[in-house]
Amino acid sequence: VHEMKFFYTFVNQSYRTESVTQEDRKRYIAGSLKKVASSTTCYDSIAIFKQLLEKAKQDAIISDYDYYTFDRMAEVTHTSTAPFVKEIWGSLHLLESRVKTLEEVSTNVVESLQMLQKGI
């Protein structure tokens, strides 16, 4: 995300000096924002990303739809890497393995009871 800030400045400067076209400018910035949205894992990166999104919207580089889409992608990435979410996933995996073990044990108990029932 931090490098994206420099890239944004570079592309806009290239546009001002007519080194890139408006279409290329939009394509480069929008494509980069989409890619960078998946790397917003800390507070600083999400803050900088949101600043870049706002600037791109003000500069008419991205549409409202793209703005909200990229913002949502960044929020999901940011939230999914939070420590409490990782802890929840760890707990879920542990519970899932315990449930599987209980299912296996209950299946064995049922089979044993059926064999015992046949023997009686």
Side-chain angles (χ1 to χ4, degrees), residues 79-91:
T79 303
S80 66
T81 59
F84 76 93
V85 173
K86 289 180 181 179
E87 185 179 311
I88 290 170
W89 277 114
S91 296

Side-chain angles (χ1 to χ4, degrees), residues 37-41 72-89:
S38 64
S39 66
T40 53
T41 57
R72 182 68 185 140
M73 289 168 60
E75 286 292 341
V76 168
T77 300
H78 181 68
T79 303
S80 66
T81 59
F84 76 93
V85 173
K86 289 180 181 179
E87 185 179 311
I88 290 170
W89 277 114

